[in-house]
Amino acid sequence: MAGQARLLIEHIETPDMLVGAALDKARASTGVFISLMEEAALAEAAAASRRRSAGAALSDFDGIPFAVKDLFDVVGSVTSAGSRTRLAVPAAPRDSAIVANLRKLGMIPIGKTNLSEFAFSGLGLNPHFGTPTALGREDRVPGGSSSGSAIAVQRGIVPVALGTDTAGSVRVPAAFNGIAGFRPSWGRYDMHGVYPLAASFDTAGPLAKNAEDCVVMDALMRGVAPTNTTAPRRFIIERSLLDDPDLEPAVGQNLLAFADLLRSDGRLVEPRVIPSIGRARAAIGEFGWPGGVEAAAFHRDLLASTERALIDPRVVARLDFAAATPPENMIALRRIRTGLIRALRHELDGAILLQPTVPHVAPLLAPPASNDELFARLNLRTLSMTMIGSFLDMPGLAVASGTDPQGLPTSVLLTGASGFDDAVLAAGRLAPLDHGSDSFS
């Protein structure tokens, strides 16, 4: 393989070279990183190089650089959550559990990536630290909230990055940037040391050039060895989402072409309506998004303080709106959610669901950046499909499905019932556009 691990194993490159190159690219980027950990990263790279020279590498991944969304604690760095209100908090005394797992293997964090403030937007704009944009698509939104992590991968700064996903914050930026991103079932990763948005929905997740690297990172983030799970044979195309009026033609067409390639590989693909999907969408439309209500409760004291004026007004508006949700709505949503998660398992019966990750390609950046009303509408539309998966606790892997006539990436989301993470990840290995030569593994 031509990935970074293979280059290290075959002594073609050293950790010093990989980390130095990553830091050079990071310094040359704009809006991608909130902070860099140059001194520590270079010292760790030198140590990894010495281990490899002595034949004592900690793992095949010893010396590989990665980026960290600025919600994860990294020892010695401030966890800003993309907000000016947190710039004076003490530096983290220890690594978050996931970062610690990667460090045990010798992987090297080079910096903390930018994000939507408090991780509360699907578009990825940040007025305080700049908005990162994709190479060659600087006029388009990056997707959020894990915008910096996705762009760090898309620009080739690092092979993999850590993000978080509450309503779509890994899957959306993966879709907009033609890369892969995985949102697991809730509880799959140890979230100690990760700044929360809505604890009942928050998950971590990897972003990478391809699904294969997401499979590997999923294991490494949990502190276990990667395994090979047999790819599933049965797939279902969710017809109701293909009938969505917001669905752009290229997104739907590329999903159907993706399905045809699965069929040519001997997989069974059936177009069908899954009732729980429509019921989840209806419940969110009627009662609100429970993740938003949790986020508003978490930030209640901050919103009531003088620091409210320091927060992105678009984030404040969404938090205020969520805070006004009647308590009885949350009771109804919890009841509905529990029943639908159970029903979905029976409806899918082990099959993997195919759906658009986002109904449209990455929108132009300038209009929502200058129009708050447009921002709010576009943000809701962008998250409309991934939010359903979060409500139903569906593990989801976003993979590239092609491009539209403008050359903008489209994406398919492979999803399953709660707990079927390994099957979803194995399905990603079938992705026809997912065999790039720059895999880090």
Side-chain angles (χ1 to χ4, degrees), residues 200-201 279-294 322 325-341 387-388 390-393:
S200 297
F201 294 87
R279 290 169 184 162
R281 170 175 271 188
I284 294 167
E286 181 177 358
F287 297 110
W289 169 237
V293 178
E294 284 192 26
T325 302
E328 57 268 26
N329 285 23
M330 285 292 286
I331 295 171
L333 284 167
R334 281 193 289 268
R335 174 181 52 79
I336 293 167
R337 185 182 189 223
T338 299
L340 290 180
I341 289 173
M387 193 177 286
I388 295 169
S390 294
F391 186 78
L392 296 172
D393 193 34

Side-chain angles (χ1 to χ4, degrees), residues 42-167:
L42 290 170
E44 290 176 45
S49 292
R50 290 192 295 270
R51 287 193 296 270
R52 286 195 173 272
S53 294
L58 297 177
S59 73
D60 288 348
F61 312 99
D62 194 357
I64 292 179
F66 68 102
V68 183
K69 185 178 183 177
D70 204 2
L71 291 180
F72 293 79
D73 285 349
V74 176
V75 63
S77 71
V78 170
T79 303
S80 76
S83 177
R84 290 184 295 170
T85 66
R86 291 185 52 79
L87 293 181
V89 302
R94 63 186 64 84
D95 288 333
S96 55
I98 291 171
V99 171
N101 282 340
L102 298 179
R103 254 200 233 271
K104 288 174 186 175
L105 301 168
M107 294 184 67
I108 300 171
I110 66 161
K112 308 289 285 294
T113 55
N114 201 355
L115 64 149
S116 308
E117 188 168 11
F118 298 133
F120 202 40
S121 160
L123 300 183
L125 282 61
N126 189 306
H128 315 306
F129 302 104
T131 295
T133 57
L135 185 64
R137 296 189 295 275
E138 289 81 2
D139 61 339
R140 299 282 165 167
V141 306
S145 64
S146 304
S147 53
S149 288
I151 297 302
V153 171
Q154 190 272 343
R155 286 182 170 265
I157 299 172
V158 289
V160 290
L162 297 181
T164 64
D165 193 311
T166 303

Side-chain angles (χ1 to χ4, degrees), residues 238-303:
E238 173 45 58
R239 290 197 60 89
S240 68
L241 297 182
L242 284 182
D243 294 333
D244 190 305
D246 289 327
L247 187 69
E248 292 182 353
V251 177
Q253 291 162 8
N254 289 347
L255 185 150
L256 294 175
F258 184 102
D260 286 341
L261 287 170
L262 290 177
R263 290 188 182 99
S264 69
D265 191 44
R267 311 292 159 173
L268 303 175
V269 184
E270 174 192 3
R272 183 148 57 91
V273 171
I274 301 298
S276 292
I277 298 294
R279 290 169 184 162
R281 170 175 271 188
I284 294 167
E286 181 177 358
F287 297 110
W289 169 237
V293 178
E294 284 192 26
F298 178 75
H299 290 293
R300 182 183 294 115
D301 292 343
L302 178 64
L303 291 170

